[in-house]
Short mmCIF file of all heavy atoms in Angstrom, two decimals:
data_model
loop_
_atom_site.label_atom_id
_atom_site.label_comp_id
_atom_site.label_asym_id
_atom_site.label_seq_id
_atom_site.Cartn_x
_atom_site.Cartn_y
_atom_site.Cartn_z
N PRO J 24 105.33 94.55 86.77
CA PRO J 24 106.63 94.17 86.20
C PRO J 24 107.80 94.51 87.14
O PRO J 24 108.73 93.71 87.28
CB PRO J 24 106.71 95.00 84.91
CG PRO J 24 105.31 95.36 84.58
CD PRO J 24 104.60 95.48 85.90
N ARG J 25 107.72 95.63 87.79
CA ARG J 25 108.84 96.09 88.63
C ARG J 25 108.94 95.33 89.96
O ARG J 25 110.02 94.95 90.40
CB ARG J 25 108.70 97.58 88.90
CG ARG J 25 109.80 98.13 89.77
CD ARG J 25 109.70 99.64 89.89
NE ARG J 25 110.65 100.16 90.82
CZ ARG J 25 111.86 100.60 90.50
NH1 ARG J 25 112.23 100.58 89.25
NH2 ARG J 25 112.68 101.06 91.41
N TYR J 26 107.81 95.13 90.63
CA TYR J 26 107.85 94.57 91.98
C TYR J 26 107.46 93.10 92.07
O TYR J 26 107.82 92.44 93.05
CB TYR J 26 106.98 95.41 92.92
CG TYR J 26 107.61 96.76 93.19
CD1 TYR J 26 107.14 97.89 92.55
CD2 TYR J 26 108.69 96.87 94.04
CE1 TYR J 26 107.74 99.12 92.77
CE2 TYR J 26 109.30 98.09 94.27
CZ TYR J 26 108.81 99.21 93.63
OH TYR J 26 109.40 100.43 93.85
N PHE J 27 106.72 92.59 91.10
CA PHE J 27 106.32 91.18 91.15
C PHE J 27 106.99 90.36 90.06
O PHE J 27 106.87 89.14 90.04
CB PHE J 27 104.80 91.04 91.04
CG PHE J 27 104.04 91.80 92.11
CD1 PHE J 27 102.86 92.44 91.80
CD2 PHE J 27 104.50 91.87 93.41
CE1 PHE J 27 102.14 93.14 92.76
CE2 PHE J 27 103.81 92.57 94.38
CZ PHE J 27 102.62 93.20 94.06
N GLY J 28 107.67 91.01 89.12
CA GLY J 28 108.37 90.29 88.06
C GLY J 28 107.45 89.58 87.09
O GLY J 28 107.84 88.56 86.52
N ILE J 29 106.25 90.10 86.91
CA ILE J 29 105.29 89.50 85.98
C ILE J 29 104.73 90.59 85.07
O ILE J 29 104.76 91.77 85.40
CB ILE J 29 104.14 88.77 86.71
CG1 ILE J 29 103.40 89.71 87.66
CG2 ILE J 29 104.66 87.55 87.45
CD1 ILE J 29 102.20 89.10 88.35
N SER J 30 104.21 90.16 83.94
CA SER J 30 103.64 91.12 82.99
C SER J 30 102.31 91.66 83.52
O SER J 30 101.68 91.06 84.41
CB SER J 30 103.40 90.45 81.64
OG SER J 30 102.35 89.51 81.74
N ALA J 31 101.87 92.75 82.95
CA ALA J 31 100.58 93.33 83.32
C ALA J 31 99.45 92.34 83.04
O ALA J 31 98.51 92.21 83.83
CB ALA J 31 100.35 94.64 82.57
N LYS J 32 99.55 91.61 81.94
CA LYS J 32 98.52 90.63 81.57
C LYS J 32 98.43 89.53 82.62
O LYS J 32 97.34 89.16 83.07
CB LYS J 32 98.80 90.06 80.19
CG LYS J 32 97.76 89.10 79.70
CD LYS J 32 98.06 88.60 78.30
CE LYS J 32 97.00 87.63 77.84
NZ LYS J 32 97.25 87.14 76.49
N THR J 33 99.57 88.99 83.02
CA THR J 33 99.60 87.95 84.04
C THR J 33 99.09 88.50 85.38
O THR J 33 98.33 87.84 86.09
CB THR J 33 101.02 87.39 84.21
OG1 THR J 33 101.43 86.82 82.97
CG2 THR J 33 101.10 86.35 85.31
N ALA J 34 99.48 89.72 85.70
CA ALA J 34 99.05 90.34 86.96
C ALA J 34 97.54 90.52 86.98
O ALA J 34 96.90 90.27 88.01
CB ALA J 34 99.75 91.68 87.14
N ASN J 35 96.96 90.93 85.86
CA ASN J 35 95.50 91.10 85.80
C ASN J 35 94.78 89.77 86.02
O ASN J 35 93.78 89.71 86.73
CB ASN J 35 95.09 91.72 84.46
CG ASN J 35 95.43 93.19 84.38
OD1 ASN J 35 95.57 93.86 85.39
ND2 ASN J 35 95.57 93.68 83.17
N ALA J 36 95.31 88.71 85.43
CA ALA J 36 94.71 87.38 85.62
C ALA J 36 94.82 86.95 87.09
O ALA J 36 93.86 86.41 87.66
CB ALA J 36 95.38 86.36 84.71
N ARG J 37 95.95 87.20 87.69
CA ARG J 37 96.13 86.83 89.11
C ARG J 37 95.26 87.70 90.01
O ARG J 37 94.76 87.24 91.04
CB ARG J 37 97.60 86.92 89.51
CG ARG J 37 98.42 85.83 88.87
CD ARG J 37 99.82 85.81 89.41
NE ARG J 37 100.64 84.86 88.68
CZ ARG J 37 101.95 84.71 88.87
NH1 ARG J 37 102.59 85.45 89.76
NH2 ARG J 37 102.62 83.83 88.17
N ALA J 38 95.10 88.98 89.65
CA ALA J 38 94.26 89.86 90.44
C ALA J 38 92.82 89.36 90.44
O ALA J 38 92.14 89.39 91.49
CB ALA J 38 94.32 91.29 89.89
N LEU J 39 92.35 88.91 89.31
CA LEU J 39 90.99 88.39 89.21
C LEU J 39 90.79 87.22 90.16
O LEU J 39 89.71 87.07 90.76
CB LEU J 39 90.70 87.98 87.76
CG LEU J 39 89.27 87.57 87.44
CD1 LEU J 39 88.30 88.71 87.71
CD2 LEU J 39 89.18 87.13 85.99
N ALA J 40 91.81 86.40 90.34
CA ALA J 40 91.75 85.24 91.24
C ALA J 40 92.26 85.57 92.64
O ALA J 40 92.38 84.69 93.49
CB ALA J 40 92.55 84.09 90.66
N GLN J 41 92.58 86.84 92.89
CA GLN J 41 93.19 87.28 94.16
C GLN J 41 94.43 86.45 94.47
O GLN J 41 94.65 86.02 95.61
CB GLN J 41 92.18 87.26 95.31
CG GLN J 41 91.12 88.34 95.20
CD GLN J 41 91.68 89.76 95.22
OE1 GLN J 41 92.57 90.09 95.99
NE2 GLN J 41 91.16 90.62 94.34
N GLY J 42 95.27 86.26 93.45
CA GLY J 42 96.48 85.46 93.58
C GLY J 42 97.75 86.28 93.64
O GLY J 42 98.83 85.76 93.36
N LEU J 43 97.64 87.54 93.99
CA LEU J 43 98.83 88.39 94.14
C LEU J 43 99.22 88.45 95.61
O LEU J 43 98.41 88.16 96.49
CB LEU J 43 98.51 89.80 93.63
CG LEU J 43 98.24 89.91 92.13
CD1 LEU J 43 97.66 91.28 91.79
CD2 LEU J 43 99.51 89.67 91.34
N PRO J 44 100.45 88.88 95.91
CA PRO J 44 100.87 88.94 97.31
C PRO J 44 100.26 90.10 98.09
O PRO J 44 100.48 90.23 99.29
CB PRO J 44 102.39 89.07 97.22
CG PRO J 44 102.65 89.62 95.88
CD PRO J 44 101.56 89.12 94.99
#
Side-chain angles (χ1 to χ4, degrees):
R25 179 174 174 93
Y26 289 102
F27 303 142
I29 57 176
S30 70
K32 183 178 179 179
T33 299
N35 286 337
R37 289 188 187 175
L39 187 60
Q41 290 299 318
L43 294 168

